[in-house]
Amino acid sequence: DAEITQSPRHKITETGRQVTLACHQTWNHNNMFWYRQDLGHGLRLIHYSYGVQDTNKGEVSDGYSVSRSNTEDLPLTLESAASSQTSVYFCASSELTGHTQYFGPGTRLTVL
Amino acid sequence: AQSVSQHNHHVILSEAASLELGCNYSYGGTVNLFWYVQYPGQHLQLLLKYFSGDPLVKGIKGFEAEFIKSKFSFNLRKPSVQWSDTAEYFCAVGSSNTGKLIFGQGTTLQVKP
């Protein structure tokens, strides 16, 4: 069955370190998204991609970057981790823009 | 800009009570509407969706939602909740024009046995 996976599931890092969160989908979807989930804020869009070599900033993109070198993967990089980036991160993908998104299991990131 | 508002942030019900969670959105064009559910410690799962046609849509686990275009609303309902419905519920709006989904802040539902 097609699926979307994220790794690691849990990560503890220190302020200032670079961190990369992996997202891999086997749906063959062109569209991929990264969200962060925080209490009181719901889900906020960080970056998204509509296809290989395409990346776009979401509403909370500062301090994050993504790259899309193939259809299956959209890694999220925190260039210099900050305590404010402690959160749960979800990756999602969709076949069509504006349509149903399928979510990964999430990565819980703690920045000390 | 698109926005989604969920009026109930935290709802506590007893088993067998009826549920209605409000969702209003702001967007002038054609929209796709979604309700997602997140059970404790799990990822978001699609509960139901509306793209077009009958404005009353039925989803999994006995949930339904009604799209009222004139009110820009897409409220979620269930006639009789169960303890296993304890979860966080997110309303989302998407459009082909913008390509993204905009999520509400979520409603935490706690069902007491």
Side-chain angles (χ1 to χ4, degrees), chain A residues 12-32:
Chain A
I12 299 174
T13 191
E14 295 177 343
T15 302
R17 290 190 180 269
Q18 183 181 77
V19 177
T20 297
L21 309 183
C23 174
H24 179 82
Q25 52 99 3
T26 59
W27 293 92
N28 201 34
H29 287 163
N30 283 325
N31 307 318
M32 295 185 73

Side-chain angles (χ1 to χ4, degrees), chain B residues 1 3-4 7 20 30 39 46 64 74 85 91 105 107:
Chain B
S3 67
V4 178
H7 311 297
E20 181 161 3
T30 301
Y39 297 106
L46 183 67
E64 65 179 30
F74 190 57
D85 293 325
C91 180
Q105 291 190 341
T107 297

